Amino acid sequence: MTRMEDSMDILLLCGYFESKYQEEISRKTKTWVENAANTFQKRLIAGFKEQGVNLKVVSAPLIGPWPTAYDDIVFRGFEAGESAENVQYVRFNNIWGYRNISRTAALKKRVRDFVRKSEAKEKAIIVYCPHTPFLEAAVYGKRLDQSIHIHMVVPDLPQYMNLSKKAHPIYDFFKSIDIQKMDRLIAQVNSFMLLTKYMADKLHVGKRPYIVVEGITDVKSIPCAEKKERGKSVAYAGKLVEAFGVKRLIEAFEMIDDQEATLHICGGGELKPYVEETCKIDNRIRYYGVVPAEKANEILQNADVLVNPRQNDDEYTKYSFPSKNIEYLMTGNAVVAYMLDGMPDEYRGLLQVPGNNSVAALAEAIRAALTDENSEQRKRQVQISRTHLYYTAVAEQICGLLNGLSH
């Protein structure tokens, strides 16, 4: 195990929230909760703690803006009280268009405290995701102390973070300005963790060091001891946006003429009314709404086939590795998914890949997965090949990178 030198202090700037606050966030959210991003951060933090680092976590939670996506005009903390994990949550004005300015100012204060109070010879700031307030605060810290190393974890590229059809032209205009600003900030980053190798070109990483890790999991062994009776349950958990193929999934399922088959969907987004209306027409389809991560995991674990209907039909797929695929595979259930350009070829043997982009091909892939006879062999393949994604292994890789650069 690679452990950090005792002389290095690490500040993690992120949008994590603890599970004790999940109910409140779900209740106040009007669109979808960033459960996948939160799970990623939770595992990252746990991994760093296993490495024995001097870690401080500061969070501006990844909630939506007021008034369109979240109830609170000002985020003042959570109703459930103080952090049980020693996470410092910053307060900020949550009004759309102003909130990033407020988030940045609040984060800068915590960064200034970190720089002034740390007596370590080596200091690092780790930024979770290309979010302007996180990057601005980190670069500010580097101005205060030129020796600070900035490491950025990049689960998605900023220009592809909102694929909703409902994005307003004003949003697109300000987003383009934000991305230009972000490019200047990213130039100050010293090292990276990327989810696909193609991200390096898009981020102009150049000769700066980086590692490629396509996801993070806390499942070391796939459940297979108590084999459940095989059924015909299909499930999807995630954002209900057309770009992710949710409408195609429902259309494909409706082509499966089997009254015993069921489709279970959870999540929120622009297609929620469509999903709700479809449930009224086809009683085999069950929609659970926006649910806590634990409930979503329960739905996935209890299913027989999990589907990620996102197709390889746009440029962004080169820079994307859906965390959903990792979560799906680690349940041990059959997984239907398309091979995206950003996914290593080795995943082809772990997935049931549709023959083409037609709805009929997706339906056929689901039918094939429902009768999969190689589930135990697939579980063994997944377990062997995904050990580098275990949360302690991911943290160890990042710490190894920081260790190497500090000497």
Side-chain angles (χ1 to χ4, degrees):
M1 179 180 287
T2 303
R3 287 193 174 272
M4 300 296 296
E5 297 293 329
D6 291 338
S7 59
M8 179 172 278
D9 285 349
I10 295 179
L11 173 65
L12 174 63
L13 299 179
C14 63
Y16 170 66
F17 57 86
E18 296 159 64
S19 57
K20 65 185 285 189
Y21 307 128
Q22 175 81 53
E23 186 279 330
E24 178 183 347
I25 286 183
S26 297
R27 173 166 38 89
K28 293 181 177 180
T29 296
K30 301 177 182 179
T31 51
W32 57 75
V33 179
E34 296 289 354
N35 281 327
N38 201 60
T39 298
F40 195 114
Q41 294 169 93
K42 178 180 180 178
R43 293 171 182 168
L44 200 60
I45 292 167
F48 285 132
K49 289 180 178 178
E50 289 280 338
Q51 298 301 308
V53 303
N54 301 321
L55 179 70
K56 182 182 291 293
V57 180
V58 172
S59 173
L62 294 176
I63 58 175
W66 181 91
T68 57
Y70 202 75
D71 285 346
D72 289 351
I73 191 169
V74 177
F75 175 76
R76 295 186 174 89
F78 295 108
E79 297 167 0
E82 294 184 2
S83 169
E85 300 176 18
N86 201 28
V87 176
Q88 296 181 14
Y89 296 101
V90 299
R91 298 186 178 192
F92 56 89
N93 188 306
N94 199 35
I95 298 176
W96 187 89
Y98 176 69
R99 75 187 207 122
N100 274 6
I101 296 172
S102 181
R103 286 162 72 87
T104 300
L107 289 165
K108 281 183 175 180
K109 291 179 182 178
R110 299 301 175 95
V111 168
R112 184 168 62 245
D113 290 343
F114 169 75
V115 173
R116 289 177 176 175
K117 293 178 181 179
S118 173
E119 298 179 357
K121 295 179 181 178
E122 306 284 350
K123 291 184 279 291
I125 298 177
I126 297 177
V127 175
Y128 173 80
C129 85
H131 179 48
T132 303
F134 298 160
L135 281 165
E136 278 199 277
V139 170
Y140 168 72
K142 195 168 186 176
R143 286 203 299 269
L144 296 178
D145 184 342
Q146 290 292 320
S147 70
I148 286 180
H149 179 102
I150 300 177
H151 177 88
M152 183 165 68
V153 176
V154 189
D156 287 295
L157 295 181
Q159 53 267 60
Y160 304 122
M161 283 183 177
N162 185 2
L163 297 175
S164 170
K165 288 177 65 178
K166 290 185 178 180
H168 195 279
I170 295 177
Y171 171 90
D172 291 337
F173 172 73
F174 281 108
K175 187 65 177 178
S176 65
I177 295 174
D178 185 59
I179 290 172
Q180 292 176 28
K181 183 177 186 179
M182 200 175 297
D183 286 342
R184 294 192 295 270
L185 294 168
I186 290 173
Q188 302 298 313
V189 174
N190 301 104
S191 64
F192 301 82
M193 172 186 151
L194 312 176
L195 262 65
T196 82
K197 62 182 180 181
Y198 299 105
M199 284 180 169
D201 294 331
K202 201 73 170 178
L203 293 169
H204 307 294
V205 169
K207 295 182 179 180
R208 289 175 286 178
Y210 67 92
I211 56 176
V212 178
V213 183
E214 61 266 28
I216 186 168
T217 179
D218 60 359
V219 179
K220 204 165 191 176
S221 60
I222 296 173
C224 58
E226 303 90 18
K227 189 173 180 181
K228 64 184 181 184
E229 184 178 344
R230 192 159 182 80
K232 299 179 180 180
S233 174
V234 181
Y236 170 86
K239 295 176 182 176
L240 305 184
V241 296
E242 193 152 347
F244 287 0
V246 177
K247 195 171 183 178
R248 286 192 298 269
L249 167 59
I250 292 176
E251 292 171 351
F253 180 78
E254 290 179 325
M255 294 179 69
I256 299 174
D257 187 15
D258 187 337
Q259 288 305 308
E260 293 182 2
T262 55
L263 174 60
H264 303 261
I265 299 174
C266 60
E270 64 191 29
L271 289 179
K272 179 182 176 182
Y274 169 79
V275 175
E276 290 176 330
E277 191 61 31
T278 307
C279 290
K280 297 176 184 177
I281 300 170
D282 189 341
N283 62 12
R284 299 177 303 160
I285 302 175
R286 289 85 185 267
Y287 176 54
Y288 300 85
V290 177
V291 299
E294 291 77 11
K295 177 63 177 178
N297 291 337
E298 178 186 325
I299 292 169
L300 297 178
Q301 194 66 61
N302 290 336
D304 301 289
V305 173
L306 309 178
V307 184
N308 183 356
R310 185 193 297 197
Q311 292 183 343
N312 192 45
D313 57 1
D314 206 341
E315 183 193 22
Y316 79 89
T317 60
K318 288 177 64 176
Y319 314 110
S320 173
F321 190 105
S323 60
K324 185 183 281 74
N325 288 356
I326 302 295
E327 300 300 317
Y328 281 8
L329 286 168
M330 298 311 291
T331 65
N333 293 323
V335 178
V336 175
Y338 296 87
M339 284 294 297
L340 306 186
D341 287 337
M343 293 169 58
D345 288 340
E346 65 212 55
Y347 279 87
R348 188 175 297 276
L350 306 177
L351 305 169
Q352 186 75 47
V353 182
N356 55 55
N357 283 351
S358 69
V359 174
L362 178 57
E364 184 55 39
I366 295 172
R367 287 193 197 97
L370 284 168
T371 57
D372 182 19
E373 299 296 333
N374 300 311
S375 59
E376 293 306 314
Q377 179 183 348
R378 187 185 61 253
K379 287 178 184 180
R380 287 193 292 271
Q381 286 180 303
V382 172
Q383 192 160 318
I384 292 170
S385 61
R386 302 303 95 206
T387 52
H388 70 291
L389 303 182
Y390 194 54
Y391 72 100
T392 55
V394 173
E396 185 174 352
Q397 292 179 68
I398 295 175
C399 288
L401 185 63
L402 295 178
N403 258 332
L405 295 172
S406 65
H407 295 101

